[in-house]
Each structure stands twice: as structure tokens, then as C-alpha cells.
Amino acid sequence: SLIRLRDYRAPAWRVEAVELDFDLGIDASEVLARLHLRRNPAQDAPLRLDGENLQLLAIALDGRTLSADEYRYDDSVLVVDGTRDGSVLETRVRLRPAANTALEGLYLSGPRETGFLLTQCEAEGFRHITFFPDRPDVLSRYTVTLRADRARFPVLLAGGNPDGAGELEGGRHWARFVDPHPKPSYLFALVAGHLEVIERGYVTADGRAVQLKIWAEADAIERCHYAMDALERAMRWDEQTYGRNYDLDVFHVVATHDFNMGAMENKGLNIFNAKCLLAEPDSTTDEEYRHVEAVVAHEYFHNWSGNRVTCRDWFQLSLKEGLTVFREQSFSADMNSAPLKRIDDVALLRRAQFPEDAGPLAHPVRPAQYSEINNFYTATVYEKGAELVRMLAGTLGRDGFRRGMDRYFERNDGHAATLEDFLAALGEANGTDLTPYLAWYAQAGTPRLKAHGHYDAAAQTYTLTLAQQTPAGHGAEPRAPLPIPVKLALFSPHGDMLPLHMDGQTSKPAIELVVVLDRAERNFVFTDVAAAPVPSLLRGFSAPVILACDYTPDELALLLAHDVDGFNRWEASQQLAARAYEELRDGTASAALHAWCDALARLFDSAAVDDALLADLLTPPGEIELAERETAIDPQRILQSRQALQRQLAERLGAENLQRRYLALLAQTGIELDAASQARRRLQRRVLELLALLDPVGAGALAATQYRDAPGMTDRLAALSVLVRSGAAQAAAALRDYRERYAGNALALDKWFAVQAQLPGEPALDRVRQLERDDAFTLKNPNRVQSLLGAFVRSNPSGFHRADGAGYRLLAERLVALDALNPQVAARLATAFNGWQRLEPRRREAAQAAIVELARQPGLSRNLGEIIDSVLNH
Ligand code: ARG
Ligand code: ZN
């Protein structure tokens, strides 16, 4: 049963206001819902409410109990006869939170005796709680009353402003919450149980006093202070950058260890996967600190991009997610180093989204159809969606984008909007037509951009020819030429930026400009160019495309050495490294290899770039990215060639030189979070990794000492990872030590599983099987599943893609078990099969056999079924 974008119809019935009364218990909870209904005069349809496997205890319409022939319920839809405009429908249902292993709807986090209750409704979890038109374009006012035993559930929370609380008989108590802002059902949330809190007062720019409260279980509450600081920074930033103020008297954030995704922006009651909220030096890496800051901001920003302006239907998901990721990226760039943030984001796009866009699971940023919407919370909707917003923002400029966003929020506040509404607001506020960008939202696949330069010495002109092509997808989407903004600069052969005189343009020449390729091919002519230039294209990654430009290795080396755009400097290193990799793999020439190593050797010994950028320049594209460039993928061979490439680099830098640098960085390390300290740790890790390729024994000894003396998790985990990956003799002891030291810290233990799941090559599978027998492993916790199985199938290509197919069979077996517990997590893990058609023949056949066998299993969920079907048949 496919849901199609083109079949959208406005709801026949709305719910103006809803009163929910919860009687909470671990094994059984009861929900009384009172829906104040409004009929859509343009439609004549009976009332149909969503409700998934609810145990209906009572039903009454306008105060009268309904008899069995006045309604029908088939376990997913409730149809009620006799409703009219203004009717009030009352239902009472029973839920079983402790038995809910899917973590959707109302469920239990932690042990039965001590855990707490919470909800997850996006996308369609509310229908697991009560009968409702569970679609994002039905906005209602919520009044929520919670009742529960006070000793077992001392804390009762729901979204909205507090509206009274008190005692009840028999040791019970109650609390009420009223949300003045109409919202869709997916933003409903409640939390109940034993939780500790940290609080901070905050006054918004427009003068509202807000209580910020972060809740967590007792053993985690002291790890919430960093998130509190991040939240305050995010709130200030949204006020200053977008003029957006918070709009309730209280803002709750809650941490849980049992969560399917990263976090959820429920109105006034954000709920976070603990791994995206908790932070402390002893167990959190620098990368994770930055992630916490980003996710806290992301969920907060949703209050406007998502909640105040929500989505008409789930096809518009990127309207809130792409936009909010973009807002979060801009925030993180402002809080940290902008070029490093850009490098991280583009690396993620290439690692996660490009492969998705190139395989059977490819879909447009606005999909045309789906079977299970939870399968569309993808890198394409999120990350590529953010890139599309970035292009729009770049086109309009800073002030123009702000003007457009003001218009968007103002015009759509309190409404469920579409991507057309978004483009219209941005365009109209700036007197420009942005509808050509809609084509980006409608077609899957990563466009190829071909660039070719021609220098005419006699005329002193430089002609840049840009051409675009999008590979044909499996869908029937149109393949229109896309508007591709290309930010560029020209460099002289000495590495200076040249003033850009565009043909026919009279204004003062710039040294950087944006040209927009809006048809299949176009020439851009620059005049008064004194010598053949080297173009720096797509600066800052101005469009999510794959650029092919016929650079010579020396030209790339020139950009690597001189480009002032930190991103493009890194990009030049990536391109050069990829060519050097191909040279090594094919045993052909070595011009790129020499150019890459020489350029990096010079930078390594100068102080020209900061430590973090240097670390990234010294890192070739990852195994997954390199695989994207091939047709008959052999992950084992990719690993080997990539290792060989890095060994060449390490040799060129020299063991002594590396060791000296390592010791100098080590002497300065600590746990400070400022940019320079983080940068030093990033470089220290990279240098140690390179050293381990040259001198495994010497590096093993250094890593063992670093592990033992590490002041914080960044250095400790880096050392552990080097020990494990290089197969050092000291690895086993360090792993034992870590296992013991963090026995009580779930997030730290996750990293212990993940490091080992990424053991390169054949030995990984046995290690995974062995770790599955560890007492701490369970299929019931999504984080644990991700840390072991997720890290193995998604982040360890050479380990997972064994030639004998054992990795595929292990995944297929686990998916069956997992699917019975948690279909969302199973479906996400199954996307590891995405690229199977492009594997070399032996692996391809083994993968296909495993997937076909999996598809034959009876009773698969809609989630997993849809992924397997797409992977096999597209
Ligand atoms: N809206 C959440 C976010 O901030 C994602 C929640 C998705 N949950 C799900 N089960 N699909 O990105
Ligand atoms: Zn989001």
C-alpha cells in the first residue's frame, strides 16, 4: 500500500482542541481522549481516526455511549458514524508500555522497577496512544492531565505550560499542562518517572522569562551541564540570526538511553537519545561534544522550523529537516571553525548521502511515494535537503535570506506548509523567482558537473565551460537541468588570486564570484587574464554535485598549497589523494602520488595551516567514498590500496619527523574544549595513525602509554582505536581495562563495541560474534545495536563484505530477530545492503543470496519489507 504525494487531500475532519487524561502504569496505562471535532464543509466523509492496535475500553459521542453498530475498528482505523461539526468524541483505551519494544508511542526506558515512561510520536506514533487524525496538517490545542503513583512516578511532564498539579488519594498525584500553540499530533510528548533535573533561568530577547530544565536519571544528571550551555547559546543565536524567540514559559529536555533516533523536538518537551545530550571529559570525545551542541541546537531550532511552521504531509519532511539541519550547520560554524564544519558536513554527505543517491534506495529530497514514512528519515532528506537550503541562502545572500525567512515564518506561522510555500516566501521577499530550484527537490541522483578551462594567451581570455548531467534514476522523475551555483576564483601560476573580469560586466572586479549554470552547458568568459590560471571551483562546496575537472596533479597541488578557502584546500587534497590512490591501485604512473606527498610534506613542516585542517589534509577519502568511484567493488582491495597510500605519505613525512610532532602535541594535550586544543588532539591522533603504518611496534608502545595517561576520552579512544586497528600486542590489555573502567557507563561501552566492530578485514566477523556474547550486548537497545552491528555493517566495509558472504548472512539473521522487536531499527540496519549490485561478482552473488533468503521470511514488518523490496527490485 503506497502513499503518494499526488493523492494529497485536505483532512475531512479537524480536531480544534483535545483533552487527554493519562492514568499511567508500567504494565498498563489508560488514555481518555476528548476530541472537539470540526467538519471540513468541502468534504462529505465519515469520521475516520487512526489507531494502531489499541484496546478500546469505551467510546461516546456527544456524551452518549455508542453501541457496537455505530462504529467500526479494524485495528488500524476507527470509523464513527453520526458525527457532526462541533461533536465531541470520547474514547478510552488501554496501552501496554512495558511490552512496547518498538519504542514508538508510549514505552518504558530502563528496567521495569526503576525505569521511566516516555513517548515518541514522530512520524506516526500518536496513533499507538489514542484515536486521532494522526497527520501533520491537523493542528489542535492540547490539554494534558497525567495521573500516577507519586512514589513510582515523582516527575510528570508533558508539553506546554504547567497548569496545576496536586495530590490524589492512595499516594497518587496529578499534573496538568496546557499548550497554547496549536500543534500536530507528532509533537505531543509526555515523560513520567524518577528523574533528576538541572535548571537555568533565561529571558528571551522579547522579554519572556523561561525556565530551562534538563532531566536525566540520577547517574547522568551531572553530564547535562554542557547541553544546558549549548541550549542557551542556541537560543541566543536564533534570536540574533533569525529574530526567533522561544514561546512557552518552560522548556524541558529529557535524556533517555532507549531511543530509535537522535532526538525529538516535541513542543516544549524535547526528548534526546542520551548519546546526543550527555557530555563530560572522561567519557565524551571532542567530536561527540560538537555533536551534542549541534543536536541540542537542531531540536531547539525546530521550535520555529517545524513546530510553529509545520509540514502539510510527510512528503514535505525536508521542509523542516533540511532547513533545520542547515540552521544547525550555520550555528555550529559560528560556534566553532567554519571551514572544519564544512569539511565534516561534506564528508558526511559523501559517505552517507552520495551512496544512498547512487543505489536502489535513491529517492528525491521530496519523495513521490512511500510505504513506511520512517524509512525516509534519510541522509537525502536531511543532508541533501540542507544543501538545497544552503544553495538558496547563497543565492539570496545573507540579508536576502533573512528577509525571506522572516516572510516564511510570518506567513506560515501556525500552518502546515509545503516546499512551494517555502520557495514562494523566499522568492517574493526578494523579488525573485526561485521555482527553478523545485527541480532539485523532485529528482534523485547526484548531478555531475563537468568543468573545462581554455586559456587564450593572445586574447588574454579564459573560458570556463560548465556542463551538467544527472544520471538516470530508477524512478520516473523528470530530468530537468538544475540551477547549479558555482562559487569560483582563479589563481595565478604563483598561487595569487586574480581579479575576475567577467565578459560584459562593468562593475569593479571581485576575486570570488558565483556563476549559476542553469542549463545543460554554458561558457563563462573572463577577460584580462595575464597567464593561464588555475580555477578554484565550487568553493565551500556551493552545490551538492560531483565535480569532474581535468586538473593536472600540479594544479591540484597548487590549490592545496595556496587556496585560502579552507574547504577547497581540503578538497584539492582529497582529489589529489583519490588520484594517487588510483595510481597505486593500478600500478600506473605516480605523478599524483608525488604531488600529494610533496605538498603535504611542505605544509607539515610549515605553520601555514592550523592543526585540525592539517589533520584533515593528511587524511585521504575514506573507503566508502573510494568505493563510490568504482564499478566492481572489492572492499578488501580498497582497504589495502588506501593503506598503501597512507604508508607512502607516512614515509615521505618520515618516522622521526612524525614522532617529533607526536611528542610535541602529546606534551600539550589536555581536556580543554577550545578550538586550538581540539585541533591539537585531532592532529595528534592523525600523526599517531600514520606512525602506526610505518612502525607498528613503536607506535603500539606510544599508543599504550597514551591510552594509560590520557586526560580525556578523545585521547583515550584514539589510542585504543590505533591499538585495535594495528593489531598491537597491547590491544587486549587496553580493551580489558576499558571494559572494566566503563562497565557502568552505557555510552562509553558503546564505543568499546564500535571500536572492535571496525577491526579491518576478515577478523572482524569473529570479533562481532564474540562481542554478541558479552553480557552487555542486547538487541533491545538501539544504541547497542548500532554500536556493534551498525558499526560493523556500515562503517567497516572490509570486515562486513567478506568474500565468503558470512557478513551478509550474519546481518540477515540478526535482522529477522531485530525486526520482531524493533522494526525501525531493523530497517535502518538493512540499508547496509544498499550498494550490493555494484560489488564484484563473488560478493554480489553472496549478498543477493542473503537478501533473497531474508525476503522469504514470513511476517516481516512494513519497515523492513519496504527496504528489502527496494534493495532487491530497484
Ligand atoms: N524530528 C526528529 C529530528 O529532529 C527525528 C525524529 C524521527 N523519528 C522517527 N522515528 N522517524 O530529526
Ligand atoms: Zn530534525
Side-chain angles (χ1 to χ4, degrees), residues 122-123 265 302 311 313-323 365-367 373 376-378 381-382 419:
E122 188 178 4
E265 71 267 22
H302 267 316
C311 300
D313 53 65
W314 292 119
F315 297 103
Q316 321 296 324
L317 182 58
S318 197
L319 176 67
K320 75 178 178 79
E321 295 303 347
L323 175 56
V365 172
R366 177 161 63 183
I373 186 55
F376 287 80
Y377 286 71
T378 59
V381 168
Y382 277 66
L419 284 156

mmCIF file of all heavy atoms in Angstrom, residues 122-123 265 302 311 313-323 365-367 373 376-378 381-382 419:
data_model
loop_
_atom_site.group_PDB
_atom_site.id
_atom_site.type_symbol
_atom_site.label_atom_id
_atom_site.label_comp_id
_atom_site.label_asym_id
_atom_site.label_seq_id
_atom_site.Cartn_x
_atom_site.Cartn_y
_atom_site.Cartn_z
ATOM 1 N N GLU A 122 6.687 11.169 16.436
ATOM 2 C CA GLU A 122 7.019 11.328 15.018
ATOM 3 C C GLU A 122 7.534 10.007 14.471
ATOM 4 O O GLU A 122 8.369 9.370 15.112
ATOM 5 C CB GLU A 122 8.082 12.409 14.819
ATOM 6 C CG GLU A 122 8.300 12.711 13.350
ATOM 7 C CD GLU A 122 9.317 13.827 13.093
ATOM 8 O OE1 GLU A 122 9.927 14.342 14.036
ATOM 9 O OE2 GLU A 122 9.471 14.154 11.914
ATOM 10 N N ALA A 123 7.070 9.599 13.317
ATOM 11 C CA ALA A 123 6.097 10.291 12.500
ATOM 12 C C ALA A 123 4.661 9.888 12.844
ATOM 13 O O ALA A 123 3.769 10.729 12.925
ATOM 14 C CB ALA A 123 6.375 10.011 11.025
ATOM 15 N N GLU A 265 11.923 16.870 18.688
ATOM 16 C CA GLU A 265 11.609 18.257 19.006
ATOM 17 C C GLU A 265 10.205 18.480 19.570
ATOM 18 O O GLU A 265 9.650 19.571 19.412
ATOM 19 C CB GLU A 265 11.779 19.103 17.739
ATOM 20 C CG GLU A 265 10.706 18.869 16.640
ATOM 21 C CD GLU A 265 11.099 17.835 15.592
ATOM 22 O OE1 GLU A 265 11.960 16.993 15.880
ATOM 23 O OE2 GLU A 265 10.523 17.876 14.489
ATOM 24 N N HIS A 302 13.981 23.626 15.760
ATOM 25 C CA HIS A 302 12.703 23.098 15.255
ATOM 26 C C HIS A 302 11.510 23.854 15.836
ATOM 27 O O HIS A 302 10.428 23.826 15.257
ATOM 28 C CB HIS A 302 12.560 21.622 15.620
ATOM 29 C CG HIS A 302 13.045 20.656 14.573
ATOM 30 N ND1 HIS A 302 12.762 20.791 13.234
ATOM 31 C CD2 HIS A 302 13.772 19.514 14.682
ATOM 32 C CE1 HIS A 302 13.301 19.777 12.567
ATOM 33 N NE2 HIS A 302 13.923 18.990 13.422
ATOM 34 N N CYS A 311 4.676 20.776 8.703
ATOM 35 C CA CYS A 311 4.597 20.229 7.347
ATOM 36 C C CYS A 311 3.178 19.804 7.001
ATOM 37 O O CYS A 311 2.485 19.217 7.820
ATOM 38 C CB CYS A 311 5.499 19.005 7.231
ATOM 39 S SG CYS A 311 7.220 19.353 7.563
ATOM 40 N N ASP A 313 2.298 17.458 4.885
ATOM 41 C CA ASP A 313 2.279 15.995 4.834
ATOM 42 C C ASP A 313 3.728 15.542 4.939
ATOM 43 O O ASP A 313 4.656 16.357 4.887
ATOM 44 C CB ASP A 313 1.629 15.507 3.532
ATOM 45 C CG ASP A 313 2.292 16.139 2.321
ATOM 46 O OD1 ASP A 313 3.477 15.858 2.099
ATOM 47 O OD2 ASP A 313 1.633 16.934 1.624
ATOM 48 N N TRP A 314 3.933 14.235 5.058
ATOM 49 C CA TRP A 314 5.307 13.760 5.304
ATOM 50 C C TRP A 314 6.198 13.829 4.073
ATOM 51 O O TRP A 314 7.412 13.676 4.179
ATOM 52 C CB TRP A 314 5.284 12.359 5.919
ATOM 53 C CG TRP A 314 4.730 12.395 7.310
ATOM 54 C CD1 TRP A 314 3.616 11.766 7.771
ATOM 55 C CD2 TRP A 314 5.257 13.130 8.428
ATOM 56 N NE1 TRP A 314 3.415 12.061 9.105
ATOM 57 C CE2 TRP A 314 4.407 12.897 9.528
ATOM 58 C CE3 TRP A 314 6.352 13.974 8.612
ATOM 59 C CZ2 TRP A 314 4.617 13.457 10.787
ATOM 60 C CZ3 TRP A 314 6.576 14.539 9.846
ATOM 61 C CH2 TRP A 314 5.711 14.280 10.922
ATOM 62 N N PHE A 315 5.612 14.065 2.913
ATOM 63 C CA PHE A 315 6.467 14.283 1.740
ATOM 64 C C PHE A 315 7.274 15.567 1.891
ATOM 65 O O PHE A 315 8.315 15.727 1.283
ATOM 66 C CB PHE A 315 5.613 14.343 0.462
ATOM 67 C CG PHE A 315 4.914 13.047 0.198
ATOM 68 C CD1 PHE A 315 3.562 12.899 0.480
ATOM 69 C CD2 PHE A 315 5.617 11.958 -0.284
ATOM 70 C CE1 PHE A 315 2.922 11.697 0.260
ATOM 71 C CE2 PHE A 315 4.991 10.737 -0.501
ATOM 72 C CZ PHE A 315 3.636 10.607 -0.229
ATOM 73 N N GLN A 316 6.751 16.475 2.708
ATOM 74 C CA GLN A 316 7.435 17.762 2.913
ATOM 75 C C GLN A 316 8.459 17.676 4.052
ATOM 76 O O GLN A 316 8.905 18.703 4.555
ATOM 77 C CB GLN A 316 6.422 18.871 3.257
ATOM 78 C CG GLN A 316 5.107 18.830 2.514
ATOM 79 C CD GLN A 316 5.251 19.044 1.024
ATOM 80 O OE1 GLN A 316 6.100 19.823 0.582
ATOM 81 N NE2 GLN A 316 4.420 18.358 0.251
ATOM 82 N N LEU A 317 8.797 16.466 4.467
ATOM 83 C CA LEU A 317 9.663 16.321 5.643
ATOM 84 C C LEU A 317 10.904 17.210 5.589
ATOM 85 O O LEU A 317 11.313 17.806 6.586
ATOM 86 C CB LEU A 317 10.072 14.851 5.787
ATOM 87 C CG LEU A 317 10.935 14.493 7.000
ATOM 88 C CD1 LEU A 317 10.261 14.867 8.302
ATOM 89 C CD2 LEU A 317 11.252 12.994 6.985
ATOM 90 N N SER A 318 11.497 17.338 4.411
ATOM 91 C CA SER A 318 12.724 18.144 4.313
ATOM 92 C C SER A 318 12.449 19.633 4.545
ATOM 93 O O SER A 318 13.379 20.389 4.833
ATOM 94 C CB SER A 318 13.400 17.938 2.957
ATOM 95 O OG SER A 318 14.741 18.377 3.017
ATOM 96 N N LEU A 319 11.196 20.031 4.428
ATOM 97 C CA LEU A 319 10.851 21.422 4.728
ATOM 98 C C LEU A 319 11.292 21.767 6.138
ATOM 99 O O LEU A 319 11.802 22.853 6.399
ATOM 100 C CB LEU A 319 9.338 21.619 4.585
ATOM 101 C CG LEU A 319 8.792 22.995 4.965
ATOM 102 C CD1 LEU A 319 9.286 24.062 3.989
ATOM 103 C CD2 LEU A 319 7.264 22.990 4.988
ATOM 104 N N LYS A 320 11.101 20.830 7.063
ATOM 105 C CA LYS A 320 11.573 21.106 8.415
ATOM 106 C C LYS A 320 12.969 20.538 8.666
ATOM 107 O O LYS A 320 13.771 21.161 9.337
ATOM 108 C CB LYS A 320 10.573 20.626 9.472
ATOM 109 C CG LYS A 320 10.504 19.123 9.731
ATOM 110 C CD LYS A 320 9.492 18.829 10.845
ATOM 111 C CE LYS A 320 9.306 17.354 11.147
ATOM 112 N NZ LYS A 320 10.374 16.774 11.984
ATOM 113 N N GLU A 321 13.275 19.357 8.115
ATOM 114 C CA GLU A 321 14.563 18.733 8.452
ATOM 115 C C GLU A 321 15.734 19.344 7.671
ATOM 116 O O GLU A 321 16.772 19.649 8.249
ATOM 117 C CB GLU A 321 14.505 17.217 8.258
ATOM 118 C CG GLU A 321 13.527 16.504 9.205
ATOM 119 C CD GLU A 321 13.812 16.765 10.686
ATOM 120 O OE1 GLU A 321 14.899 17.283 11.018
ATOM 121 O OE2 GLU A 321 12.931 16.467 11.517
ATOM 122 N N GLY A 322 15.575 19.507 6.375
ATOM 123 C CA GLY A 322 16.652 20.128 5.610
ATOM 124 C C GLY A 322 16.917 21.535 6.111
ATOM 125 O O GLY A 322 18.066 21.937 6.326
ATOM 126 N N LEU A 323 15.856 22.271 6.340
ATOM 127 C CA LEU A 323 16.001 23.647 6.826
ATOM 128 C C LEU A 323 16.649 23.673 8.211
ATOM 129 O O LEU A 323 17.528 24.493 8.481
ATOM 130 C CB LEU A 323 14.619 24.325 6.855
ATOM 131 C CG LEU A 323 14.546 25.731 7.438
ATOM 132 C CD1 LEU A 323 15.504 26.679 6.715
ATOM 133 C CD2 LEU A 323 13.108 26.271 7.358
ATOM 134 N N VAL A 365 14.687 14.446 -2.598
ATOM 135 C CA VAL A 365 14.581 15.098 -1.288
ATOM 136 C C VAL A 365 13.098 15.204 -0.899
ATOM 137 O O VAL A 365 12.746 15.078 0.272
ATOM 138 C CB VAL A 365 15.248 16.494 -1.319
ATOM 139 C CG1 VAL A 365 14.972 17.256 -0.024
ATOM 140 C CG2 VAL A 365 16.753 16.340 -1.538
ATOM 141 N N ARG A 366 12.249 15.427 -1.886
ATOM 142 C CA ARG A 366 10.816 15.258 -1.632
ATOM 143 C C ARG A 366 10.375 14.001 -2.377
ATOM 144 O O ARG A 366 10.115 14.034 -3.574
ATOM 145 C CB ARG A 366 10.010 16.460 -2.112
ATOM 146 C CG ARG A 366 8.512 16.221 -1.887
ATOM 147 C CD ARG A 366 7.671 17.466 -1.889
ATOM 148 N NE ARG A 366 7.683 18.167 -3.156
ATOM 149 C CZ ARG A 366 7.068 19.312 -3.368
ATOM 150 N NH1 ARG A 366 6.373 19.874 -2.392
ATOM 151 N NH2 ARG A 366 7.137 19.901 -4.536
ATOM 152 N N PRO A 367 10.281 12.884 -1.634
ATOM 153 C CA PRO A 367 9.905 11.631 -2.292
ATOM 154 C C PRO A 367 8.507 11.750 -2.891
ATOM 155 O O PRO A 367 7.693 12.554 -2.428
ATOM 156 C CB PRO A 367 9.915 10.609 -1.153
ATOM 157 C CG PRO A 367 10.623 11.271 -0.004
ATOM 158 C CD PRO A 367 10.436 12.727 -0.186
ATOM 159 N N ILE A 373 6.803 5.706 6.246
ATOM 160 C CA ILE A 373 7.466 7.008 6.281
ATOM 161 C C ILE A 373 8.737 6.985 7.124
ATOM 162 O O ILE A 373 9.695 7.711 6.845
ATOM 163 C CB ILE A 373 6.505 8.133 6.753
ATOM 164 C CG1 ILE A 373 7.186 9.504 6.640
ATOM 165 C CG2 ILE A 373 5.984 7.888 8.139
ATOM 166 C CD1 ILE A 373 7.731 9.852 5.282
ATOM 167 N N PHE A 376 12.101 7.140 5.538
ATOM 168 C CA PHE A 376 12.514 8.314 4.772
ATOM 169 C C PHE A 376 13.161 9.394 5.625
ATOM 170 O O PHE A 376 13.325 10.523 5.179
ATOM 171 C CB PHE A 376 11.344 8.840 3.932
ATOM 172 C CG PHE A 376 11.072 7.925 2.765
ATOM 173 C CD1 PHE A 376 10.342 6.751 2.942
ATOM 174 C CD2 PHE A 376 11.628 8.173 1.523
ATOM 175 C CE1 PHE A 376 10.140 5.867 1.894
ATOM 176 C CE2 PHE A 376 11.433 7.294 0.466
ATOM 177 C CZ PHE A 376 10.684 6.139 0.649
ATOM 178 N N TYR A 377 13.544 9.018 6.829
ATOM 179 C CA TYR A 377 14.359 9.918 7.646
ATOM 180 C C TYR A 377 15.815 9.640 7.267
ATOM 181 O O TYR A 377 16.568 9.037 8.012
ATOM 182 C CB TYR A 377 14.072 9.695 9.136
ATOM 183 C CG TYR A 377 12.731 10.273 9.520
ATOM 184 C CD1 TYR A 377 11.556 9.674 9.098
ATOM 185 C CD2 TYR A 377 12.647 11.457 10.238
ATOM 186 C CE1 TYR A 377 10.326 10.231 9.396
ATOM 187 C CE2 TYR A 377 11.424 12.027 10.546
ATOM 188 C CZ TYR A 377 10.268 11.406 10.123
ATOM 189 O OH TYR A 377 9.052 11.969 10.411
ATOM 190 N N THR A 378 16.160 10.079 6.082
ATOM 191 C CA THR A 378 17.396 9.645 5.434
ATOM 192 C C THR A 378 18.403 10.775 5.282
ATOM 193 O O THR A 378 18.085 11.953 5.450
ATOM 194 C CB THR A 378 17.069 9.154 4.020
ATOM 195 O OG1 THR A 378 16.452 10.255 3.325
ATOM 196 C CG2 THR A 378 16.123 7.973 4.035
ATOM 197 N N VAL A 381 16.985 13.280 2.715
ATOM 198 C CA VAL A 381 16.026 14.268 3.215
ATOM 199 C C VAL A 381 16.719 15.274 4.148
ATOM 200 O O VAL A 381 16.460 16.478 4.075
ATOM 201 C CB VAL A 381 14.866 13.554 3.935
ATOM 202 C CG1 VAL A 381 14.017 14.542 4.722
ATOM 203 C CG2 VAL A 381 14.004 12.804 2.924
ATOM 204 N N TYR A 382 17.612 14.799 4.978
ATOM 205 C CA TYR A 382 18.281 15.666 5.948
ATOM 206 C C TYR A 382 19.451 16.421 5.308
ATOM 207 O O TYR A 382 19.471 17.648 5.245
ATOM 208 C CB TYR A 382 18.804 14.838 7.137
ATOM 209 C CG TYR A 382 17.766 14.560 8.200
ATOM 210 C CD1 TYR A 382 16.658 13.759 7.933
ATOM 211 C CD2 TYR A 382 17.892 15.081 9.477
ATOM 212 C CE1 TYR A 382 15.711 13.499 8.914
ATOM 213 C CE2 TYR A 382 16.939 14.820 10.477
ATOM 214 C CZ TYR A 382 15.868 14.029 10.182
ATOM 215 O OH TYR A 382 14.939 13.775 11.154
ATOM 216 N N LEU A 419 6.880 22.761 0.500
ATOM 217 C CA LEU A 419 8.131 23.309 -0.035
ATOM 218 C C LEU A 419 7.847 24.456 -0.993
ATOM 219 O O LEU A 419 8.622 25.407 -1.086
ATOM 220 C CB LEU A 419 8.930 22.193 -0.718
ATOM 221 C CG LEU A 419 9.607 21.275 0.317
ATOM 222 C CD1 LEU A 419 9.895 19.901 -0.247
ATOM 223 C CD2 LEU A 419 10.883 21.930 0.845
#
